[in-house]
Amino acid sequence: MRNTAIRILSRILEDCGPASVPISQGWLTLLLNDVLGSSKAQNLKGNVPPPQADKVKHQIDHFNASSATQIASQLASAVVRQAGTPSEPAPSDPGNIFNNKAPLADSLSLEPFSTSLRNFLKQKNPPKFDAADSALATLKAIKALYELCSDDITCQRKISNLGALALLRRFLLGDDYEKLAANATYDASNKSNKNSNNSESNVESGTVNSSIVPPAAHVRRHAARLFTILSTSPSARNVIKHDNILCKWLDDCATGEVQCNDLKLQSYCRSVLLNVSLPENPEKNSPQFGDGLFFLNPEMPQGSLTNQEENKEKNNTMQPMWDLVFVHGLRGGPFNSWRISDNKCSTTSKAGLVENIDQDAGKEGTCWPREWLAMDFPHGRFFTVKYKANLTDWTGASLPLQEVSSMLLRRLLAAGIGTRPVVFVTHSMGGLVVKQMLFQAKLNNHNEFLQNTAGLVIYSCPHFGSKLADMPWRMGFVLRPAPSVGELRSGSPRLVELNDFIRNLNNKGSLDVLSFSETQVTPIVEGYGGWALRMEIVPIESTYPGFGELVVLDATDHVNSCKPLNKSDPSYAETLEFLKKLKSQRNKN
């Protein structure tokens, strides 16, 4: 019965287009409530406080569940606003808009919609349906679902069985919210023209308000993210593989055949295609690409090889293929941290908050590993990762260093990274994340991963602590530093232990290290009257780990140390030379 219902609903979404938005939103609401109901039941069963090591993760899970509950309520209200109001209310009872003619009238009287329905009826002037608000509610619900299900296989199976794949397919292929916004604009324009004696003058004077374009592109991107997570399960792979229309769209998006400038969306599409390309009975160690790992060149096939290099590989003259993994730092991102820079030294923090120090540097829409390094070092695949790295608890909880490293290690191993030579390129705390990750690989006997890690490129890493973490307790009270920042205090025994571990690998000759040091202060907090708090976030004595090569970047601050101006900039030229040297050494061995 459930499978038949899913097929019927899917067909309704296909046939009715924008008019089916209440169906898709109601379906999404039910999925979210079902997941929340299961998680609450599990929490009630084992009413035991979490161990200290899992305290922060427990807080994040609690925050995600609480946020998802509010979002489910908002989405239910959006369903009621659109589905509950017929286009022409019955003249016999104009006050009762939820009469028998109202679409989905029976369904709206049930939970989780009944509460929203009662609240809606109590309002004398209920809000009208708005395409942008509706799209935003859908976007929040999709994000809430993958936050709840990202690392929960049981949750992933549950929503897959309840039709999540069919629902997400519609979000990917359809343009319902764009059409709703266009219709709203058209209706508003017609209404204005009818009520005006001189419509042309009113249009020219700007009295006709067009509807705000909804964030439909964001809906599609986050739907692709959840789709990627679900595509790692065998049952989901089988469904996707036999959907020719969907696979064609995924391939067109990944290769850039359809108009798409969203590298994250392209990467998600490439990951899904790679996941579904596995045989029906894949080997235990077959690579799977899940959440938090992006292809820097998603338009290229797996392997990122040119035809000429593929021919060399067939002739056994091809050099070993490499994996390069880029790991951002605090408040960074998988693409924006690696932008090409306009200026190596920031002059102000436009946003005025320590949260956004990485947002004002570099040229938007550029990414030097993708645009330069992939051409100058065409010997492997280029990945970038994403993890929660907040500076303060005001912007949401972030996992401690060890939890972040464990999560990334699992995802990299699942994707098959470490089966060939790999180099990690890191900025700021990203260097500590990778060092901790290698330490955990040693503890868990992931020897192949450790042995194949040939190099570390580290920009402005606080090997022995950061001045940002050493700020007076008064500032710490105001900023509420996240757990990850607290681990960066100067003299931390944990940081010394990690550095000694990497030093030992370097002394054995199994790991080469290239470090870059900043030399200028970085704006932190914009003040009144134009002044700003500026500080040297990672001094040179903390940037140099005591081994490997060190490049001191003149007139460069912390944020811009990993953002070269051009190919002759030492922050790029020295990295390229380092990679070529590693490749040459590996060939000799």
Side-chain angles (χ1 to χ4, degrees):
M1 183 186 297
R2 181 171 56 199
N3 291 337
T4 303
I6 289 172
R7 288 198 296 271
I8 293 173
L9 288 172
S10 301
R11 187 58 183 266
I12 291 174
L13 297 183
E14 292 295 322
D15 292 349
C16 298
S20 68
V21 165
I23 300 289
S24 61
Q25 288 186 325
W27 196 347
L28 187 57
T29 306
L30 293 173
L31 287 178
L32 199 52
N33 273 272
D34 200 278
V35 171
L36 288 169
S38 299
S39 61
K40 288 178 181 177
Q42 291 177 359
N43 291 336
L44 289 174
K45 285 181 182 177
N47 204 3
V48 180
Q52 188 66 27
D54 296 333
K55 185 176 180 180
V56 176
K57 187 177 186 306
H58 177 77
Q59 291 174 346
I60 293 176
D61 291 342
H62 179 75
F63 173 82
N64 289 338
S66 176
S67 176
T69 301
Q70 296 178 6
I71 291 169
S73 177
Q74 294 173 7
L75 190 59
S77 298
V79 173
V80 168
R81 281 200 302 272
Q82 187 181 12
T85 306
S87 56
E88 295 182 2
S92 60
D93 188 7
N96 181 16
I97 61 173
F98 290 94
N99 50 57
N100 293 331
K101 291 186 178 182
L104 306 178
D106 293 336
S107 298
L108 294 176
S109 64
L110 304 175
E111 288 294 345
F113 308 104
S114 59
T115 302
S116 298
L117 175 57
R118 288 193 298 270
N119 293 335
F120 189 87
L121 290 172
K122 291 177 182 178
Q123 302 179 45
K124 293 182 179 179
N125 297 309
K128 296 181 179 180
F129 170 79
D130 182 88
D133 289 343
S134 182
L136 186 59
T138 298
L139 173 63
K140 289 181 178 179
I142 296 172
K143 294 173 70 174
L145 258 185
Y146 67 60
E147 291 289 356
L148 292 171
C149 299
S150 180
D151 295 313
D152 190 337
I153 297 177
T154 302
C155 175
Q156 294 170 21
R157 290 173 180 168
K158 174 183 282 294
I159 65 173
S160 292
N161 292 336
L162 294 176
L165 291 173
L167 182 58
L168 294 172
R169 181 188 191 275
R170 181 61 196 172
F171 292 141
L172 290 175
L173 300 184
D175 54 356
D176 298 335
Y177 292 106
E178 293 98 323
K179 291 180 178 178
L180 285 173
N183 291 339
T185 303
Y186 180 78
D187 293 341
S189 177
N190 281 347
K191 184 177 180 180
S192 177
N193 289 336
K194 289 179 181 179
N195 295 334
S196 171
N197 294 326
N198 190 348
S199 60
E200 292 183 1
S201 63
N202 283 334
V203 172
E204 291 175 357
S205 63
T207 58
V208 177
N209 295 323
S210 61
S211 177
I212 300 173
V213 178
H218 296 290
V219 171
R220 187 172 284 114
R221 178 206 291 175
H222 289 285
R225 180 180 179 183
L226 181 54
F227 207 74
T228 302
I229 294 171
L230 298 181
S231 70
T232 58
S233 70
S235 59
R237 288 201 301 266
N238 189 53
V239 172
I240 299 169
K241 185 184 298 184
H242 292 90
D243 190 333
N244 295 330
I245 295 176
L246 176 61
C247 288
K248 175 67 166 57
W249 184 88
L250 291 171
D251 185 62
D252 287 346
C253 184
T255 57
E257 292 295 326
V258 296
Q259 187 175 3
C260 175
N261 297 320
D262 191 332
L263 285 176
K264 288 183 179 179
L265 175 58
Q266 287 182 265
S267 181
Y268 289 137
C269 292
R270 173 62 63 199
S271 296
V272 173
L273 290 171
L274 290 173
N275 289 337
V276 301
S277 67
L278 294 174
E280 291 188 8
N281 297 309
E283 298 179 3
K284 184 178 180 181
N285 296 324
S286 297
Q288 291 187 344
F289 299 90
D291 190 27
L293 181 65
F294 298 93
F295 291 90
L296 275 165
N297 298 91
E299 72 279 5
M300 300 185 70
Q302 185 183 16
S304 302
L305 300 175
T306 63
N307 291 334
Q308 182 180 2
E309 288 169 330
E310 287 176 347
N311 293 333
K312 289 181 180 180
E313 186 178 31
K314 292 177 182 178
N315 297 328
N316 295 322
T317 59
M318 169 69 184
Q319 302 299 339
M321 189 170 151
W322 293 67
D323 283 336
L324 275 74
V325 183
F326 290 76
V327 185
H328 64 82
L330 288 170
R331 291 303 297 168
F335 293 97
N336 69 322
S337 285
W338 312 104
R339 299 195 299 275
I340 299 169
S341 182
D342 290 311
N343 188 339
K344 297 294 286 185
C345 186
S346 302
T347 57
T348 182
S349 178
K350 296 178 183 178
L353 290 174
V354 70
E355 308 302 336
N356 298 299
I357 59 175
D358 193 57
Q359 304 301 314
D360 300 326
K363 299 177 182 177
E364 291 296 334
T366 63
C367 184
W368 62 264
R370 170 180 167 81
E371 299 186 22
W372 295 347
L373 198 58
M375 298 293 293
D376 295 338
F377 191 76
H379 307 287
R381 302 178 301 177
F382 289 73
F383 296 94
T384 182
V385 303
K386 178 183 179 180
Y387 63 95
K388 287 187 176 180
N390 303 312
L391 275 175
T392 79
D393 281 341
W394 291 110
T395 53
S398 61
L399 291 169
L401 179 64
Q402 187 170 349
E403 288 293 330
V404 170
S405 301
S406 297
M407 176 192 67
L408 288 181
L409 180 60
R410 289 195 305 270
R411 291 175 178 175
L412 294 178
L413 290 172
I417 295 174
T419 58
R420 55 169 64 94
V422 57
V423 176
F424 289 96
V425 183
T426 70
H427 176 236
S428 189
M429 199 185 83
L432 300 181
V433 168
V434 172
K435 289 166 72 173
Q436 174 67 35
M437 187 168 60
L438 295 176
F439 184 80
Q440 289 176 227
K442 176 68 173 178
L443 292 179
N444 294 292
N445 297 318
H446 297 301
N447 297 324
E448 184 183 29
F449 181 89
L450 194 62
Q451 292 168 2
N452 278 327
T453 301
L456 283 179
V457 178
I458 310 175
Y459 294 93
S460 296
C461 176
H463 294 286
F464 303 106
S466 167
K467 288 186 177 181
L468 183 62
D470 295 337
M471 296 175 78
W473 70 269
R474 297 179 185 85
M475 185 63 75
F477 177 76
V478 172
L479 296 179
R480 287 174 56 186
S484 52
V485 177
E487 296 174 316
L488 305 183
R489 293 190 181 94
S490 298
S492 167
R494 183 59 187 156
L495 297 185
V496 175
E497 182 182 13
L498 284 178
N499 201 63
D500 288 342
F501 171 72
I502 301 300
R503 183 198 304 273
N504 187 41
L505 295 178
N506 179 258
N507 291 340
K508 290 180 179 179
S510 61
L511 179 67
D512 284 14
V513 178
L514 171 64
S515 299
F516 291 90
S517 174
E518 64 199 65
T519 52
Q520 292 290 327
V521 295
T522 303
I524 300 297
V525 180
E526 185 78 16
Y528 294 104
W531 64 270
L533 170 62
R534 295 177 170 85
M535 66 182 303
E536 185 181 29
I537 295 179
V538 184
I540 190 170
E541 59 268 20
S542 184
T543 306
Y544 181 52
F547 50 86
E549 302 176 44
L550 174 66
V551 177
V552 179
L553 300 172
D554 294 334
T556 302
D557 66 13
H558 182 78
V559 174
N560 287 284
S561 63
C562 62
K563 298 176 177 62
L565 292 169
N566 48 53
K567 287 191 175 184
S568 61
D569 191 315
S571 58
Y572 177 79
E574 294 291 342
T575 294
L576 178 59
E577 188 62 30
F578 179 75
L579 293 174
K580 290 180 177 179
K581 183 184 71 173
L582 287 178
K583 177 176 172 292
S584 177
Q585 291 175 349
R586 185 59 63 109
N587 292 341
K588 292 179 181 179
N589 296 333

